[in-house]
Every structure is written in C-alpha cells, then in structure tokens.
Amino acid sequence: MSSESTSATAAERPDDLGTLSVVGIGPGLPADMTKRAKDVIETADCVIASDLYQAFLREDGTLPPAEQVDDEGRVTRENGHEQEIIRSTMGRQIELAKVAFERVRAGDDVAHVSGGDPSVYGKSDLIFKMAEEEAATDVPIEIVPGVTAALGGGAMVGAPLCNDFCTISLSDKWRGWEEIEEKLRAAAISDFVIVLYNCWRNYEKAVDIVREERTDDALVAIVNDAGRADAGRNGESHVITTLGEATAHDDKVSGMGTSLIIGNHETETWSNDYRTFLVTPRGGRDVEDF
C-alpha cells in the first residue's frame, strides 16, 4: 500500500481545528533545540510538558517565567498571546492525550513536549495509538523532530556514528528481556555501533551479552545528560572505556539520562592537544578513499 500527502502545515483541514504538534526539544536547552520546535511552543495555545522540560524551556524565554503563570496554568505572553501550560507526568500520558485531542477540536494549537526526538522512545507512538483508540482521525497531527541522545552523545564524544549504527532500549517495560537480548546479540554479530538507551535497567546484562560477540577491547562511551550541561538530573559528563571495563564504571551510569555507545571493530580513538575522541570510519581509512 502506498500513500502520498502534503505536509501537516499545508494539508487541507477545517478552519475551526487546531494542530497537535508532538515537539522534540532535544536535550532541552536552547542551543540544541531547533527553531521550528521553539516557534511551535511559543505560539501554541496549550503546552503540555513535564516540570523538567518546563524548566529547560524557561532558560531562554521559550516559556514565560513560572511566576507569571497563574494557579490554573494560564499566562499572557509579552506579545499578548494567551497560553495555558499543563504539567505532564508519566502517569497522566493517556489522560493528557485525550485532553490534547479535545483542545485541538476546540480550535487550539497544542504543543505536546517530548525530550530528545519524539519518535525515538518518545511520545509519538502513544499519540498515534491514542488517536486510533479514541477515533481521533479528525485531529491534525504534526511531529517536530529533535536531537536524540544518540546524536547528542555521539557529538559529545566525537564521531562514533559515521558508519552503520542502531539504537536499543534496555527497558523491559514494553518488551520482554528475551526479545531485547535477541536484538543485542544480532546487533553485536552484525557489527553495528550500538547505542543503548534506558541504561538504568539491565545495562550490565546487556554488556555481558555484547561481550560474547565482541572483543573486550571494543571501545565504549558512557554519556550522561548530553547537551544539558549542569541542568540535567545528574550533570553532563562522559567517559571513554572498553567493553571489558564498562561495568567497572557503574558510578557513571546514573539514570534515564545515561546512554552507552558501543563501538564496532573499526571504532578507534583519535586525540588532539586537548582531548580524546571516538571515531568510526564510514569505510575508507585513508583520506584518498573519501
């Protein structure tokens, strides 16, 4: 089956409907958020975001200061635009999806904020699943991409993703561990650079599985809160180690903001006068090959 359509912003729709934008804000701080994401949030009639993301978005005025917001979450911006800010929590995701649909049907533009990219272990799938569940095919939906942890963390440590790579979530909330283990083994055998998300769960087991298929001297970066400086839950940091020594750095694996980047057989270190980087060549090892 094939399908062709115009973009969400150009698609025809009734004039009395708003748009539900699922907005990826990357790590959340202004420097790593796209202009499109900033514009959508600033002009939305309703913004749904967690306390952490609201704090990030206030760094540069993407959201007004908290003291200007009344007890009902309403605020009038400097340009006179009225906006409502709704606090999002993990336990309210289904409820807030329904709220978003109703607000859009009432004519409001809604920005549903996700960290990183909304389609990389973010909120996009929930919105589409809920739209199906609630027969909300009349609701215009737009996905605004953001910088995900693999890209932010990869940039922090150099150029480890210049060849084929994959991402695997270690959270067994949605997938059984047997399925996760199968994916880890397949990725390791296929020589993908592997980026592990949700490392607060099962990361030691994951490392052990990859070690069965790769040498212990394979390079690994442990990255925390990429792009968040000191504003994240644990502070931005990274360490470069090896697969055999990765679990010895347990103190560096600090929660939801931690990702592991496991290099393939070509990943190498490169150093200048200031620091050491990870680099995975795209194929050619000599300048003449490019």
Side-chain angles (χ1 to χ4, degrees):
M1 183 179 72
S2 64
S3 175
E4 183 176 346
S5 65
T6 57
S7 67
T9 54
E12 294 182 0
R13 63 175 68 110
D15 292 337
D16 58 350
L17 289 180
T19 298
L20 172 54
S21 298
V22 190
V23 186
I25 61 170
L29 298 185
D32 289 319
M33 184 166 58
T34 69
K35 185 178 185 302
R36 174 65 181 152
K38 181 177 172 64
D39 289 346
V40 168
I41 294 168
E42 288 181 337
T43 59
D45 301 297
C46 174
V47 177
I48 300 173
S50 69
D51 286 342
L52 180 65
Y53 297 154
Q54 288 185 39
F56 289 156
L57 293 170
R58 291 191 168 102
E59 288 283 328
D60 71 336
T62 302
L63 284 181
E67 57 269 20
Q68 294 182 11
V69 182
D70 68 19
D71 293 341
E72 301 297 322
R74 297 185 178 89
V75 62
T76 301
R77 301 183 68 108
E78 290 183 359
N79 61 3
H81 177 62
E82 294 184 0
Q83 194 170 64
E84 182 177 355
I85 302 170
I86 298 176
R87 179 175 176 263
S88 172
T89 61
M90 289 295 291
R92 298 184 67 201
Q93 296 303 314
I94 292 175
E95 170 199 347
L96 292 177
K98 295 178 181 179
V99 169
F101 297 153
E102 292 310 308
R103 294 292 294 261
V104 170
R105 286 170 171 149
D108 288 342
D109 289 326
V110 178
H112 202 316
V113 174
S114 175
D117 183 278
S119 295
V120 183
Y121 313 119
K123 297 177 180 176
S124 296
D125 64 326
L126 171 64
I127 294 299
F128 286 113
K129 286 289 187 183
M130 286 301 301
E132 180 179 5
E133 181 91 6
E134 297 295 309
T137 56
D138 58 315
V139 173
I141 299 173
E142 175 187 18
I143 308 300
V144 181
V147 178
T148 187
L151 303 182
M156 180 185 291
V157 300
L161 308 182
C162 287
N163 208 323
D164 297 331
F165 71 94
C166 67
T167 64
I168 299 175
S169 170
L170 299 184
S171 174
D172 52 10
K173 181 177 182 180
W174 312 111
R175 306 286 180 187
W177 178 252
E178 288 184 0
E179 181 178 341
I180 296 171
E181 181 175 342
E182 184 177 338
K183 291 177 179 178
L184 285 165
R185 201 176 303 281
I189 292 172
S190 300
D191 207 33
F192 283 106
V193 175
I194 305 170
V195 185
L196 301 180
Y197 282 64
N198 296 316
C199 291
W200 82 94
R201 293 173 183 251
N202 303 315
Y203 101 94
E204 291 175 325
K205 288 199 295 184
V207 168
D208 287 342
I209 289 166
V210 176
R211 286 180 69 188
E212 294 174 14
E213 310 297 340
R214 293 198 182 170
T215 60
D216 277 355
D217 61 357
L219 292 163
V220 174
I222 302 173
V223 181
N224 284 294
D225 285 330
R228 288 180 173 171
D230 294 329
R233 292 181 175 90
N234 300 290
E236 183 179 81
S237 67
H238 75 272
V239 61
I240 293 175
T241 182
T242 62
L243 193 58
E245 295 293 326
T247 57
H249 295 275
D250 188 64
D251 59 318
K252 303 297 183 182
V253 179
S254 54
M256 291 182 66
T258 303
S259 299
L260 261 67
I261 302 175
I262 302 175
N264 67 11
H265 81 281
E266 290 186 304
T267 304
E268 56 196 8
T269 57
W270 183 88
S271 299
N272 60 13
D273 293 342
Y274 313 103
R275 54 173 291 199
T276 297
F277 299 87
L278 283 189
V279 178
T280 305
R282 72 177 79 171
R285 287 187 171 273
D286 298 319
V287 173
E288 291 78 8
D289 295 328
F290 284 86

